Amino acid sequence: MTHSEIERATGLEVYESSLTEADGVVYFLARRGLDKLVGCVGAGGISGEKAGEADGRPVTVGPADHANAEAIRKALDWTAPRCLGLVASVGLGDRLGLATPGHVRAVRGSGLAAVLAQQSIREMTRTRRTPEEVMDCATWGVFQAGFRDGFGADADHLQKLEDIDATVAAGFTMFTIDPRAYVDNAADGASHAELAEKVGALDLAALEALPAELISRYVGKTFKLDGATVDFDEEVLLRAAAKYGGAIAHTVKMYRHLQQVATGPFELEVSVDETETPTSPAEHYFFAAELKRLGVEWVSMAPRFVGRFEKGVDYIGDLGVFRKSFAEHVAVMKALGPYKLSIHSGSDKFSIYPTVAELAGPYVHLKTAGTSYLEAVRAIASIDPALFREILDFAHGRYGQDKATYHVSADPGKVPPASDLADGELAGVLDGFDGRQLLHVTFGSVLTADDGEKFRERILTALKQDEETHYAVLARHLGRHVAPFRRDQQKEK
Ligand code: ZN
């Protein structure tokens, strides 16, 4: 059955790449105006109305809603998320829920596995989305694009036990535990006596160890790794334990809870990237070795690397220093894993990708999110310049407040107001450091502004009207992220 037969039968515009036959039923995704509809020819479990006949069989068409997303995930397993395992992968957060077909274009054929549903609880709150909506948007995008390679779903930056429950229920397969609230950043400047006191105050029951046992396990030992050594004197150990002991205890608690409530296979990421100071290789070693001793199994870990990983812009820092430090983290990862090193705030860090790909090989997860929103805004600049102008001026007014919870250093004064720009210059705002950060950190305000502006609906409408422009900018920009990690780029080892 061809898509034009279905189009003739239903009068809908059918996405040709979605057409799939399973168990004698033909499934498809279609659009009517700006709405997406899912359909099946034959008895396929889609809830909807009879929309015609094809091949002498009834065609049922229904809304692309949650109930039908569940039905399509059941009928076509590639539209449901799965575990990705130890292959190089990229996380592509989609805050608007429309990006997946563009993301698929960026990763298809690259050899990288893709996480296509990925959102933190904080971002869901900021964008007023539920875990189910995030999941369903990925399912519809994958179905539309006919992407049969499989994809992951990352419940990102989970800090509390109840965050796990909500995202397990929505079917997520990857869980990123973020114990940042239990990382003691003050340990970095603490004296020996203060460190000993901090370690004594840890939840030693959760760590299943006394301070003396921790000390005897590490102090005076040199761990020889491939290309690096890690050695602990008492102060290094106490500092690592004081800084990360609470985070280890919380991670163990979260992991065991996840094991209890999980309804299927899952993979874990442990992330301490959002801490004030970099994770030293010795701290990484201690953190990973202790988690291992306590029975935690993880597929990826995000230390806080040296340098600045600011939102939406390239790496800021000395590339030689990064390379040396990253090589040590790779050595720790290989000695205690292997597992993937996860690069958070990983978008737009073009200057370090070659180093990361060269040193970590396939053991990389590159996590991106806000950059896809920025590229959607770039698409808006050409689809609806007037809307872009309003967003830009609104962002100017919000940046001062909104930047508080982000690592950014833009000078909004360097970004002209919309009135100073010709239509053809608008997209150029997204090419500069200051413009990118200005628009990046204000996304939550833009998407939830509901007095007067109502940007969210207008943005979604514009992107639905011109899907092709949206997908093309995403494919181009995210394709640049994927390229350095493509399997064919990596030297055979
Ligand atoms: Zn992160």
Side-chain angles (χ1 to χ4, degrees), residues 156-157 176 178 180 269 271 273-274 302 311 344-345 367:
D156 200 8
H157 283 291
T176 297
D178 177 355
R180 83 177 81 172
E269 174 162 314
S271 106
D273 66 299
E274 304 232 3
K311 296 293 180 186
H344 281 227
S345 298
K367 200 174 282 203

Side-chain angles (χ1 to χ4, degrees), residues 408-422:
V408 284
S409 56
D411 175 359
K414 290 183 180 158
V415 186
S419 55
D420 287 5
L421 297 166

Side-chain angles (χ1 to χ4, degrees), residues 12-13 15 18 28-39 46 61-65 68 140 143:
L12 299 170
E13 209 181 316
Y15 292 97
S18 71
F28 61 91
L29 192 75
R31 62 184 260 163
R32 181 168 55 208
L34 299 182
D35 293 328
K36 299 268 161 99
L37 298 163
V38 56
I46 298 297
V61 169
D65 60 13
N68 278 333
W140 294 126
F143 184 37

Side-chain angles (χ1 to χ4, degrees), residues 391-431:
I391 293 170
L392 178 59
D393 288 341
F394 179 82
H396 267 294
R398 291 291 316 190
Y399 183 76
Q401 291 141 273
D402 290 356
K403 70 175 184 182
T405 53
Y406 289 99
H407 296 289
V408 284
S409 56
D411 175 359
K414 290 183 180 158
V415 186
S419 55
D420 287 5
L421 297 166
D423 278 0
E425 295 170 325
L426 295 175
V429 172
L430 273 320
D431 295 327

Side-chain angles (χ1 to χ4, degrees), residues 189-214:
S191 69
H192 193 105
E194 287 166 336
L195 291 172
E197 197 182 318
K198 283 174 185 293
V199 172
L202 290 170
D203 182 351
L204 298 165
L207 293 174
E208 299 171 22
L210 296 169
E213 292 171 323
L214 290 179

